[in-house]
Amino acid sequence: WKNEEEQVPQGCLTYESGFGPVFEEQPMDTIYPEESPEEKITMSCRARANPPATYRWRLNGWDIKLLEQEDEHYSLEDGNLVITNPDRNNHVGKYECVAQNMYGTIVSREAIVRFGYLDPFSTEERDAVYVKEGQGAVLLCAPPPHYPDELLFRWMLNEFPVFIPLDKRRFVSQTTGNLYISRVDSSDLGNYSCFVSSPSIAKSVFSKFISLVPIPERPTRKYPADIKVKFPDSYALVGQNITLECFALGNPIPEIRWRKVDAELPANHEVSMEKALLHLINVQQEDEGTYECEAINSKGKDRHRARLYVDAYPEWVEHFSSREADIGSNLTMSCLASGKPKPHVRWLKNGVLVRHVKGELKFTGLTFEHSGMYQCIAENKHGVIYASGELRVIACAPTFEHNPVKERVLGAKNGRVLMECRPKAAPRARLSWSKGTELLSNSSRIHIWDDGTLEILNVTQMDEGKYTCFAENDRGKANSTGTLFVTEATKITLAPSNADVQVGESARMQCAASHDPNLDITFIWALGSHVIDFDKESDHYELVMESSGELLIRNTLLRHAGRYTCTAQTIVDNVSASAELVVRGPPGPPGGVRVDEITDKSVRLLWSRGTDNHSPISKYTIQARDSFSVDPEEWKNANTLPANVEGNAETVTVVDLTPWMEYEFRVIATNTLGTGEPSSPSPKIRMLEAVPVVAPSDIGGGGESSRELTITWTPVKPQYYYGKNFGYIVAFKAHDDYQWRKVTVADPEAQRYVHKDPSIPPNTEFHVKVKAFNNKGEGPYSLTASLFSAQDAPSEAPSDVSGRALSATEAIVFWRPTLEQSIDGYQVRYWRKHEESQAGTKVVENQGENQTRLENMLPDSRYFIEVRAFNKAGMGPPSVQYEIHTKKARESSSLCALVLVLVECVTG
């Protein structure tokens, strides 16, 4: 490129004559699967250039010698580089495409070639995992060596392709691949395998199976929430999406909640996978901060916090593009990029680094040697961006070939005319004007601008004629001529008048103008700076008569109010007139709704007045929405003090609120023309705590197991907790005692309490009552209920058991009932000798009965029989066994046959 300037034409040529390379296709980062059936890599490169560009390639900054020597791996197809039979040792690295022609050289962005792989899992057997039911479990995936890092994880159960469904109880981390089960139950028994897929190389592998064995535990214990999947400190780029993971073990299954510390969650967030995933969509700089997930169940809560840092890919704030510059002139080319971290900027000329100062290239006294292809490159750790362009230094005599003076120029009488003179010349030409043979100079009506434009003010008929622009520099001279014609001025003859309407009414605005009869006139209407499009806005706007310009506004809305301007326009001049349209309607939404002076049952609400839309505000309505609203759009009118909020108010006290409830408030204004839109909601606030006032209901229970008293109730709904650390106080006493016994149940969702005491007499009447408590104190007791403690199981066995066979398959059994009162019935158990494991049972519910019939017995068999009394507490001791021998089966007394006549068959 030493003699490049000798090859490039230096005259005032356009870029149609020739231009340097401009990339249309550049190489991309490539991941080549090691097991790919296509044994080649193609790196694309194509540039638009005239004359056409030639291409060469670099690997890690070194030229690939494609022309000097043959290579069994590299070949060039047009501008594309083809790597045949690639291998990891020789072909990994950074590739650049270099395109060049007689005007200069440009270098493509770097494209990195890497080899992708996903090794098989280890063939070692994996140990079984034994977990008590109710506890949590973690099955480790331990993915094999791989590249790139991005993997998708699923888990198989017992066989391929049965994948476990994910729900509130089960979660697969897409960071580690581990399977988390918050609470194991018997249905989790099985063999599990981690299934790993690499989308980049379209390959999947799966691990050896792991046996998960739930161990029964009765009763199942409860465990507090314990976060096991914790999102780390993370980086995201502006405009990217990022997902944060959080999952907890525990019984009951924990609920996951997300928040941003000291701020609201971004508006562009979503949660999925039963709230285990927080997705931030199109991340912005303001989304940076600390995020927290909280896992909570009735046994406890756990929290995890980590920080999200938001960086930014380089982005051009200012960059250069192709340009021409006059020889000998001064020039500054700038590049400025934003990004986080701040990008580093460098410049190339024809592919070679050049010095710059703070992103600027400064030229003093340009020469042809400064011509060439320039590239500005901005780079930070997240990426690199390129800006390319051609600088062409030119020198030529003036020419009007491509931009002559306009041949026919129209000017309105008493108006202003501009005639442009823009020849191509390098160095810049000296410009002058003449009318006919008269050389023009600056005066009160005539002015020649620095760029050569001729301006004539207060045009008269005398100004008509031919005007010539002369251009001259040290390389030559040229001129170009145009003719000025003077027309009648356009004037408004009927201006629009101010109008005043109510919402829904129609309004008319007139507009008429006079103009030169040889010219067409057009009427344009605008509301403020918005030009009305009568095709797209025909629902409300109509140009009644195009010749007169009358505007009809139908079914007016509040947004139609404002200043309307009618412009009468010809191709020569235009003139405008304006009028105001007032639209009266319901008030606009109040603004700045906020809350202070929060107590347990009231707040002070403040707001700023919205627009009254030309009708005074008569009253305000206050609405509230609490955190327990079923419908998120459900707003209810709130009680206030004073009850009626006047139209001049900007504050009110909201009363009759629920303690410790989360609330939002909004304000709605009303005037004589209607009720307006509601304000935006206030920030959420929580009321102060108060003593509970609602008691548990449906007190019940009684005896279940021996020496126990079970007390049940319907829990208080969460909206009535009125404070933190909510729980219950259970009070009970025997009906003839004076002293109440009290126990505390700390679980707000609890529905029962079982009192176990060996000294509790069976079947004894107790009085029971329950009340709620929280941080602030204790609430009222429920109504007192009467319950009975559990019975003891019968202690006596039935006596005098006897019986006899009735047939080969039936027998009857008798016994003497026990003398105990708390008997619900008797169980008769019978079995063939030596076959007690196959015993049958017969239950007699009536405690007064002392006999029962046994059926479906086998003929000619010895049966043992025992009888037990039972009640709700269990079975009593068995009676003495009694033996019965069933009868033999009898032979048929007649032969049954079917003949042409009906014969009755009688059997013994």
Side-chain angles (χ1 to χ4, degrees):
W1 293 101
K2 225 188 298 182
N3 300 318
E4 173 188 330
E5 65 276 2
E6 298 171 7
Q7 304 169 20
V8 179
Q10 307 297 345
C12 287
L13 302 175
T14 66
Y15 280 97
E16 295 173 359
S17 307
F19 54 89
V22 178
F23 280 120
E24 293 184 325
E25 196 171 340
Q26 299 189 57
M28 305 287 291
D29 290 346
T30 300
I31 296 174
Y32 176 75
E34 290 188 343
E35 303 170 13
S36 173
E38 184 177 358
E39 297 178 345
K40 68 176 182 179
I41 300 172
T42 300
M43 308 289 286
S44 299
C45 184
R46 181 163 54 88
R48 183 177 73 255
N50 186 12
T54 59
Y55 301 91
R56 53 195 170 92
W57 284 80
R58 297 174 185 163
L59 172 57
N60 297 327
W62 295 89
D63 280 353
I64 300 173
K65 306 295 185 182
L66 290 168
L67 301 178
E68 290 84 346
Q69 60 190 50
E70 291 189 7
D71 188 294
E72 61 177 323
H73 293 289
Y74 292 115
S75 59
L76 201 60
E77 295 181 359
D78 296 325
N80 300 337
L81 178 68
V82 179
I83 309 171
T84 306
N85 297 321
D87 70 78
R88 192 191 297 188
N89 295 328
N90 295 317
H91 300 125
V92 169
K94 297 178 180 178
Y95 287 79
E96 295 170 297
C97 173
V98 181
Q100 62 190 47
N101 72 0
M102 62 187 295
Y103 291 101
T105 303
I106 56 174
V107 181
S108 75
R109 61 170 170 253
E110 289 181 344
I112 300 175
V113 171
R114 294 187 178 94
F115 280 62
Y117 61 92
L118 176 59
D119 290 349
F121 275 93
S122 168
T123 57
E124 291 184 12
E125 295 293 332
R126 296 201 175 192
D127 294 335
V129 178
Y130 295 86
V131 184
K132 290 182 180 179
E133 291 183 10
Q135 287 186 336
V138 181
L139 300 186
L140 303 181
C141 179
H146 59 277
Y147 185 85
D149 291 335
E150 294 76 24
L151 296 176
L152 296 177
F153 298 95
R154 291 184 289 174
W155 280 77
M156 296 189 300
L157 178 59
N158 295 326
E159 61 181 352
F160 179 85
V162 179
F163 294 100
I164 66 166
L166 303 181
D167 50 29
K168 194 171 185 178
R169 197 169 62 87
R170 291 174 290 200
F171 178 78
V172 175
S173 169
Q174 294 302 313
T175 303
T176 63
N178 298 339
L179 170 63
Y180 297 83
I181 304 176
S182 64
R183 182 200 67 207
V184 171
D185 60 35
S186 58
S187 67
D188 294 319
L189 176 66
N191 298 311
Y192 293 76
S193 172
C194 181
F195 189 90
V196 180
S197 301
S198 175
S200 301
I201 63 173
K203 181 180 178 182
S204 300
V205 294
F206 58 89
S207 70
K208 300 287 283 187
F209 280 91
I210 308 168
S211 295
L212 176 60
V213 183
I215 302 172
E217 184 178 51
R218 297 292 182 270
T220 303
R221 292 178 58 189
K222 294 186 176 182
Y223 300 91
D226 180 15
I227 295 176
K228 290 298 185 186
V229 180
K230 301 179 179 181
F231 59 98
D233 287 347
S234 305
Y235 282 85
L237 294 180
V238 169
Q240 282 187 340
N241 302 335
I242 189 171
T243 297
L244 307 181
E245 296 183 335
C246 182
F247 190 75
L249 311 184
N251 184 22
I253 299 169
E255 183 81 17
I256 301 293
R257 299 173 183 169
W258 290 90
R259 75 182 188 97
K260 185 180 181 187
V261 178
D262 300 328
E264 292 288 323
L265 280 171
N268 52 339
H269 82 275
E270 298 174 358
V271 292
S272 65
M273 288 298 298
E274 302 292 344
K275 301 182 182 178
L277 300 180
L278 173 65
H279 308 280
L280 302 181
I281 313 299
N282 188 21
V283 170
Q284 298 301 309
Q285 200 66 56
E286 57 268 23
D287 297 338
E288 183 171 283
T290 300
Y291 289 79
E292 177 185 275
C293 82
E294 180 183 62
I296 184 168
N297 66 8
S298 59
K299 298 298 290 181
K301 63 178 67 175
D302 193 11
R303 289 189 179 93
H304 170 69
R305 288 183 178 183
R307 188 162 183 83
L308 175 66
Y309 298 92
V310 179
D311 281 2
Y313 194 84
E315 185 176 358
W316 290 121
V317 176
E318 177 186 352
H319 68 84
F320 83 106
S321 56
S322 294
R323 63 181 304 168
E324 294 177 344
D326 295 348
I327 192 166
S329 64
N330 300 331
L331 176 67
T332 298
M333 296 196 301
S334 299
C335 266
L336 181 62
S338 64
K340 186 179 177 184
K342 184 177 180 180
H344 166 72
V345 174
R346 64 184 189 272
W347 282 85
L348 302 178
K349 179 192 176 188
N350 293 329
V352 179
L353 275 172
V354 293
R355 294 180 61 185
H356 65 92
V357 178
K358 295 182 179 178
E360 289 186 338
L361 288 182
K362 292 189 175 183
F363 303 93
T364 303
L366 282 169
T367 66
F368 293 135
E369 286 80 7
H370 291 122
S371 294
M373 299 301 300
Y374 287 81
Q375 289 178 282
C376 180
I377 303 168
E379 182 176 12
N380 66 12
K381 67 180 183 179
H382 300 298
V384 57
I385 53 176
Y386 291 71
S388 301
E390 180 182 351
L391 172 60
R392 185 173 294 181
V393 179
I394 59 173
C396 67
T399 174
F400 287 95
E401 180 182 355
H402 298 289
N403 196 18
V405 172
K406 194 173 180 181
E407 187 176 344
R408 178 183 173 87
V409 179
L410 300 178
K413 196 177 291 184
N414 299 320
R416 170 176 175 258
V417 169
L418 296 177
M419 299 181 73
E420 292 185 343
C421 178
R422 295 190 178 176
K424 191 173 185 68
R428 182 179 175 184
R430 297 178 296 278
L431 302 174
S432 59
W433 282 87
S434 71
K435 180 189 177 193
T437 58
E438 177 189 358
L439 189 66
L440 299 178
S441 59
N442 289 341
S443 66
S444 59
R445 283 200 322 116
I446 296 175
H447 182 71
I448 301 172
W449 294 2
D450 289 342
D451 67 355
T453 300
L454 173 65
E455 178 183 34
I456 305 174
L457 303 176
N458 300 321
V459 174
T460 68
Q461 202 69 43
M462 297 294 294
D463 292 320
E464 281 192 340
K466 293 184 180 295
Y467 289 80
T468 302
C469 177
F470 298 89
E472 181 178 0
N473 67 7
D474 59 4
R475 304 238 167 179
K477 57 180 67 175
N479 64 74
S480 181
T481 301
T483 303
L484 172 63
F485 297 90
V486 178
T487 65
E488 291 296 327
T490 305
K491 297 178 182 178
I492 295 287
T493 57
L494 179 61
S497 301
N498 294 339
D500 189 325
V501 296
Q502 291 186 14
V503 168
E505 294 179 345
S506 295
R508 286 179 180 268
M509 289 194 168
Q510 294 182 325
C511 185
S514 63
H515 62 286
D516 190 293
N518 296 314
L519 301 176
D520 292 330
I521 189 168
T522 302
F523 289 92
I524 298 171
W525 282 90
L527 171 57
S529 60
H530 169 69
V531 176
I532 296 171
D533 185 324
F534 290 99
D535 291 328
K536 293 182 179 179
E537 301 176 72
S538 58
D539 288 348
H540 294 283
Y541 291 113
E542 180 185 347
L543 198 58
V544 179
M545 296 178 62
E546 293 189 14
S547 58
S548 69
E550 182 179 352
L551 174 68
L552 170 64
I553 310 168
R554 288 190 298 267
N555 190 23
T556 54
L557 303 176
L558 290 171
R559 59 183 171 86
H560 294 139
R563 187 169 187 81
Y564 284 81
T565 300
C566 170
T567 300
Q569 178 176 289
T570 68
I571 60 172
V572 177
D573 64 343
N574 63 74
V575 62
S576 299
S578 300
E580 291 286 339
L581 174 64
V582 173
V583 180
R584 302 179 187 274
V593 180
R594 58 202 185 279
V595 179
D596 66 6
E597 297 183 11
I598 302 170
T599 71
D600 59 341
K601 294 183 180 179
S602 68
V603 299
R604 187 166 75 110
L605 194 65
L606 303 95
W607 63 91
S608 302
R609 293 170 59 87
T611 58
D612 63 10
N613 291 323
H614 310 289
S615 178
I617 296 171
S618 57
K619 70 170 185 175
Y620 287 101
T621 302
I622 311 301
Q623 293 187 327
R625 175 172 65 185
D626 63 52
S627 52
F628 289 94
S629 297
V630 177
D631 180 357
E633 295 305 315
E634 180 185 1
W635 291 84
K636 297 179 180 177
N637 288 352
N639 293 330
T640 60
L641 195 64
N644 297 318
V645 186
E646 300 293 336
N648 59 356
E650 292 188 353
T651 181
V652 74
T653 299
V654 185
V655 297
D656 299 335
L657 300 173
T658 302
W660 207 55
M661 181 76 77
E662 266 193 356
Y663 281 103
E664 295 172 278
F665 300 93
R666 69 181 187 183
V667 183
I668 303 173
T670 300
N671 62 16
T672 56
L673 298 177
T675 297
E677 292 293 315
S679 69
S680 298
S682 69
K684 286 183 180 179
I685 59 98
R686 185 180 285 279
M687 306 299 292
L688 299 184
E689 296 175 291
V691 174
V693 298
V694 177
S697 58
D698 302 326
I699 311 301
E704 290 189 2
S705 299
S706 179
R707 301 293 188 263
E708 289 184 358
L709 177 66
T710 300
I711 302 168
T712 61
W713 62 88
T714 298
V716 174
K717 293 181 179 179
Q719 53 264 48
Y720 302 118
Y721 287 176
Y722 284 14
K724 290 184 269 189
N725 299 325
F726 185 86
Y728 302 99
I729 295 173
V730 181
F732 57 95
K733 70 180 184 68
H735 73 98
D736 53 357
D737 283 352
Y738 295 101
Q739 189 69 33
W740 290 86
R741 297 183 62 175
K742 298 179 181 178
V743 292
T744 300
V745 179
D747 182 358
E749 298 177 5
Q751 302 181 49
R752 58 191 283 134
Y753 168 72
V754 179
H755 179 66
K756 299 181 180 181
D757 186 347
S759 65
I760 292 180
N763 203 30
T764 301
E765 184 180 2
F766 278 82
H767 293 166
V768 177
K769 55 186 179 181
V770 185
K771 66 179 176 180
F773 72 90
N774 63 16
N775 269 355
K776 301 297 287 185
E778 300 174 4
Y781 273 114
S782 65
L783 296 175
T784 301
S786 293
L787 312 175
F788 285 85
S789 61
Q791 303 168 331
D792 278 346
S795 58
E796 297 180 22
S799 58
D800 296 342
V801 176
S802 63
R804 59 185 172 84
L806 298 178
S807 68
T809 59
E810 295 180 340
I812 189 167
V813 179
F814 306 92
W815 63 89
R816 184 186 296 277
T818 64
L819 298 178
E820 292 175 294
Q821 297 299 312
S822 57
I823 300 297
D824 292 338
Y826 295 90
Q827 181 197 70
V828 179
R829 189 165 171 265
Y830 57 101
W831 67 93
R832 291 176 73 191
K833 196 171 184 179
H834 308 305
E835 295 180 6
E836 185 172 359
S837 63
Q838 301 178 20
T841 59
K842 183 71 177 286
V843 175
V844 181
E845 296 286 355
N846 190 340
Q847 60 179 3
E849 291 286 336
N850 68 337
Q851 67 177 43
T852 190
R853 191 183 185 101
L854 306 181
E855 300 170 338
N856 298 321
M857 304 172 82
L858 295 177
D860 194 18
S861 299
R862 292 184 179 278
Y863 277 87
F864 287 105
I865 298 168
E866 67 179 20
V867 183
R868 298 171 182 254
F870 68 85
N871 61 17
K872 290 183 177 63
M875 292 285 179
S879 66
V880 175
Q881 294 177 1
Y882 182 79
E883 185 177 338
I884 288 180
H885 191 183
T886 55
K887 296 181 180 183
K888 292 182 180 181
R890 296 176 60 187
E891 296 182 1
S892 291
S893 59
S894 62
L895 179 64
C896 298
L898 185 63
V899 292
L900 294 176
V901 295
L902 182 62
V903 177
E904 181 179 5
C905 177
V906 180
T907 58

